[in-house]
Amino acid sequence: MLGKKLIIASTLLFLITCSIVWNLSVQRINLYKKNISLVEEITTKNKLKDAESRLFELYNISKKNVIFLRDLIELDLKTNIPIEITQQKLARFLNIDNNYFQVRLIDRNGMETIRIENKNDTANTNNQYKGDRDYFKKALTLPKGEVYISNIDLNIENHEVEVPHRPTIRFFTPIFLQHEVKGVVGLNLNATKWLDNFKGQHISFLNSKNEVFYSSDNEKSYETTKIDLNQKDPSGDPYYHVRNISHEGKHIWTLYTKPDLASIQSQLSEYKKSTYITSAILTLGLLLLLGIVYMLYKKNRQVNTLNRIVTQQLNERNTLLKEIHHRVKNNLQVITSLLSLQSSFINDEKIKALFRYSQYRINSMAIIHEMLYKSNDLNRIDYGRYVNQLATTLIASMKGRKKEIDLKLEAEELHLNLDTSVPLGLMINEIITNSLKYGFKNKDKGLITIKFEKAQYPNYLLHIGDNGSGFSETVNFRNTKSLGLKLIHMLTLQLKGNIEKDNSEEGTHYIITFQEIEQIS
């Protein structure tokens, strides 16, 4: 009787297990299909993003080049250099950089006074009237230093589209002499070379009018696309992956590509085959597995016992680490108290200040250990909360709570390890201390701004500064005897980063790149 029950129970278990195995096989195939589609989508989007980055790299360089040419022409005009010499300089520029095919100087009346073509081009080099062109009118009204950038389109000469076609993007900026606009300087980008970035990548490019300027689908160039970029395949997935790009919000261009459907189907077919073979083997082996269930149960009990031991040891380790952080924090506070007590016996205010700034530096490290002690994560801290506490403490300590020194902080979802947090915290401490000490020396109101951004892996960007009185002209930012600035430069190097002073805003502002230091534990 017991044997029959065991046979019936084993048979039922076998049938149920087989049903589960084959059901899971179908689910795994469906999940795999979703995953490979997702991987292909991510790969395609990254390819589009990379293409966008390479396009904008030359785009930004072109803006700088037209500013450079404007400065060169302005200097020649101010110093009465013969126009032939200026033309030679511009021709040499085009010969060096074949990303451009034309440089022009147009006077305020719209007449070209200088027109230089790339030596590789055979276009008409006679000066022409451009006063009726939209790009000339818009560029002429720009403030000094601004650049007008056209949409990508075909180059037009004598009111007709050039043949052979020369797709271009025009960069124009006004030229001033004695605060009076004298004309505009123009640089024509050779868009054909610009779009050569897409070769072999199956990427297509549309301008803001949806005209085809580069196609991997053999569409006719320079005509409106006939492809529906919103169409979907039978599974409901997008047939095209599209990325709309707009540099400085001026023109909206479109990059698009197709996923590799043949590769997806091939991978799915191979996976189905291997999954079905595996399921068949599992089915044949289920009867044998039923016989060793009891043994596995016994082994499982042993594993659970070991897991409990390991968990207990990990809890003890975490408790010990928390206690270490707590004691380090307490020891740092004792050091701070000793420095405070020692400074009370010193009459020299400069030496007292040195003791006080040392206390601030020690406090920046103590806050980190306190946060680690209170946190469930012993490897990383919430850096936004840390910087807020550090900056608030410094403002209250150095300026008092009655002074209206505000803090603007942007650091969402930023968690850094201990080896990165300490030097970065010391750096931020030095910069805020300098802001409060020098930038707001005789001020009761002010604003300190701190912003973290994730740059291209593994880099981070830190924008930090104040709207105070700014740097003294006697201070050399790169070479100074100031301990604080020396510390800032040393800590930047320790974080494998770079620091630049941003002179575009009022006060003192820094742009710092850094990397998270790999923590060995």
Side-chain angles (χ1 to χ4, degrees):
M1 188 68 179
L2 183 60
K4 289 183 179 180
K5 289 183 178 180
L6 183 59
I7 292 173
I8 293 172
S10 298
T11 303
L12 289 174
L13 184 59
F14 171 76
L15 294 173
I16 292 171
T17 307
C18 286
S19 175
I20 292 173
V21 167
W22 286 97
N23 185 50
L24 288 176
S25 297
V26 173
Q27 292 181 17
R28 287 182 64 190
I29 290 170
N30 292 333
L31 180 60
Y32 181 77
K33 181 181 179 181
K34 291 181 180 178
N35 287 343
I36 58 175
S37 298
L38 180 60
V39 169
E40 180 66 22
E41 179 181 355
I42 293 172
T43 302
T44 303
K45 288 182 177 179
N46 286 340
K47 182 168 67 174
L48 292 176
K49 185 176 181 181
D50 179 64
E52 176 188 2
S53 299
R54 285 185 277 116
L55 290 180
F56 283 158
E57 182 179 358
L58 182 55
Y59 184 98
N60 290 325
I61 291 174
S62 299
K63 287 183 63 179
K64 296 177 181 178
N65 283 340
V66 76
I67 294 295
F68 164 74
L69 295 177
R70 180 207 65 194
D71 293 342
L72 184 149
I73 295 173
E74 279 188 355
L75 181 60
D76 284 0
L77 291 175
K78 289 178 181 177
T79 53
N80 295 318
I81 298 295
I83 192 170
E84 293 79 8
I85 301 298
T86 304
Q87 289 174 331
Q88 291 175 11
K89 294 178 182 178
L90 298 178
R92 191 174 299 119
F93 170 82
L94 286 184
N95 291 337
I96 292 173
D97 194 339
N98 61 4
N99 285 310
Y100 310 97
F101 65 79
Q102 190 179 81
V103 179
R104 291 176 284 177
L105 172 60
I106 306 174
D107 65 23
R108 63 187 301 170
N109 297 318
M111 191 66 194
E112 292 179 335
T113 58
I114 296 178
R115 176 190 178 92
I116 306 296
E117 295 279 349
N118 190 299
K119 66 180 182 180
N120 297 322
D121 290 304
T122 59
N124 178 22
T125 58
N126 296 325
N127 293 347
Q128 301 176 24
Y129 176 71
K130 301 293 183 179
D132 56 346
R133 300 297 174 87
D134 185 62
Y135 58 77
F136 169 77
K137 295 176 182 179
K138 290 183 178 179
L140 197 64
T141 62
L142 291 176
K144 186 173 183 179
E146 294 292 322
V147 177
Y148 168 78
I149 303 166
S150 73
N151 189 18
I152 182 170
D153 53 23
L154 298 177
N155 194 51
I156 297 175
E157 298 295 345
N158 297 318
H159 303 283
E160 294 183 358
V161 175
E162 274 189 321
V163 179
H165 295 131
R166 285 199 297 181
T168 184
I169 299 176
R170 303 173 185 85
F171 297 80
F172 277 86
T173 185
I175 187 168
F176 287 80
L177 288 179
Q178 297 180 348
H179 305 291
E180 182 181 357
V181 63
K182 294 297 184 180
V184 297
V185 178
L187 181 63
N188 281 35
L189 176 68
N190 188 342
T192 300
K193 293 185 178 296
W194 191 55
L195 296 171
D196 281 347
N197 286 283
F198 302 144
K199 282 187 176 179
Q201 296 193 45
H202 305 289
I203 293 177
S204 300
F205 179 90
L206 308 178
N207 70 358
S208 58
K209 300 176 183 178
N210 280 336
E211 295 171 338
V212 179
F213 272 74
Y214 193 92
S215 175
S216 61
D217 289 331
N218 298 319
E219 275 203 286
K220 191 171 183 179
S221 297
Y222 316 125
E223 294 186 0
T224 303
T225 182
K226 298 178 181 178
I227 293 178
D228 180 9
L229 298 179
N230 295 317
Q231 63 179 315
K232 299 181 183 294
D233 63 19
S235 300
D237 297 322
Y239 195 71
Y240 292 93
H241 292 301
V242 181
R243 185 175 183 89
N244 292 320
I245 58 177
S246 175
H247 196 52
E248 302 175 349
K250 293 180 179 177
H251 304 288
I252 298 177
W253 298 327
T254 302
L255 296 174
Y256 70 89
T257 186
K258 292 190 293 187
D260 191 348
L261 299 178
S263 175
I264 292 175
Q265 290 299 324
S266 175
Q267 292 179 64
L268 183 60
S269 177
E270 288 294 324
Y271 188 77
K272 282 182 177 180
K273 181 179 178 181
S274 64
T275 301
Y276 290 148
I277 291 174
T278 302
S279 299
I281 293 173
L282 286 174
T283 301
L284 294 175
L286 279 176
L287 287 175
L288 178 62
L289 291 176
L290 291 175
I292 59 173
V293 167
Y294 180 70
M295 294 176 61
L296 291 176
Y297 169 72
K298 290 180 66 176
K299 291 288 184 182
N300 188 56
R301 290 184 61 183
Q302 294 176 2
V303 170
N304 287 337
T305 302
L306 290 174
N307 284 339
R308 284 196 297 271
I309 295 172
V310 171
T311 301
Q312 182 180 355
Q313 291 175 344
L314 286 174
N315 290 335
E316 291 174 355
R317 169 187 172 275
N318 289 342
T319 302
L320 179 60
L321 285 175
K322 283 194 172 187
E323 183 62 25
I324 290 172
H325 285 301
H326 185 53
R327 292 192 181 190
V328 170
K329 185 264 294 185
N330 288 342
N331 290 339
L332 290 173
Q333 288 182 339
V334 169
I335 294 172
T336 302
S337 299
L338 289 174
L339 289 174
S340 177
L341 180 62
Q342 184 67 49
S343 66
S344 65
F345 294 98
I346 298 173
N347 295 324
D348 191 322
E349 290 300 324
K350 289 186 178 180
I351 297 178
K352 270 191 172 183
L354 292 176
F355 273 77
R356 186 164 59 255
Y357 298 142
S358 295
Q359 289 176 260
Y360 295 152
R361 294 175 183 123
I362 294 170
N363 184 59
S364 71
M365 294 184 286
I367 293 174
I368 293 174
H369 288 284
E370 182 179 13
M371 293 183 72
L372 286 170
Y373 166 68
K374 294 180 178 179
S375 173
N376 291 326
D377 186 352
L378 296 175
N379 295 319
R380 297 176 179 273
I381 63 170
D382 183 342
Y383 215 73
R385 191 161 64 90
Y386 162 71
V387 172
N388 183 69
Q389 184 176 343
L390 174 62
T392 303
T393 302
L394 284 172
I395 293 171
S397 299
M398 295 184 68
K399 287 295 186 179
R401 300 188 182 277
K402 294 184 179 180
K403 301 293 180 68
E404 296 182 12
I405 305 298
D406 295 325
L407 172 66
K408 183 180 178 182
L409 173 63
E410 297 181 38
E412 295 182 2
E413 297 298 326
L414 180 63
H415 294 80
L416 299 176
N417 60 36
L418 179 62
D419 290 346
T420 305
S421 298
V422 172
L424 185 58
L426 285 170
M427 184 195 304
I428 294 172
N429 177 85
E430 293 302 324
I431 294 174
I432 295 176
T433 300
N434 286 344
S435 296
L436 296 171
K437 182 180 178 182
Y438 301 109
F440 303 127
K441 185 175 182 180
N442 298 314
K443 295 183 178 182
D444 293 336
K445 292 184 178 181
L447 175 66
I448 295 174
T449 58
I450 303 173
K451 181 179 180 181
F452 288 91
E453 295 180 3
K454 288 185 178 179
Q456 186 174 2
Y457 180 83
N459 296 312
Y460 292 85
L461 275 179
L462 167 60
H463 301 264
I464 182 169
D466 62 74
N467 63 348
S469 57
F471 256 64
S472 169
E473 294 182 357
T474 61
V475 176
N476 186 334
F477 165 65
R478 293 291 182 186
N479 186 15
T480 177
K481 294 181 179 180
S482 166
L483 175 61
L485 285 176
K486 283 185 177 180
L487 273 175
I488 291 171
H489 287 293
M490 291 171 61
L491 292 167
T492 301
L493 291 176
Q494 184 178 340
L495 290 168
K496 301 178 182 178
N498 180 54
I499 182 169
E500 297 291 342
K501 187 169 177 292
D502 184 2
N503 296 316
S504 64
E505 299 187 47
E506 179 185 357
T508 301
H509 294 268
Y510 300 100
I511 300 175
I512 301 168
T513 61
F514 66 93
Q515 298 181 9
E516 184 171 19
I517 299 173
E518 184 177 353
Q519 182 166 297
I520 301 175
S521 58

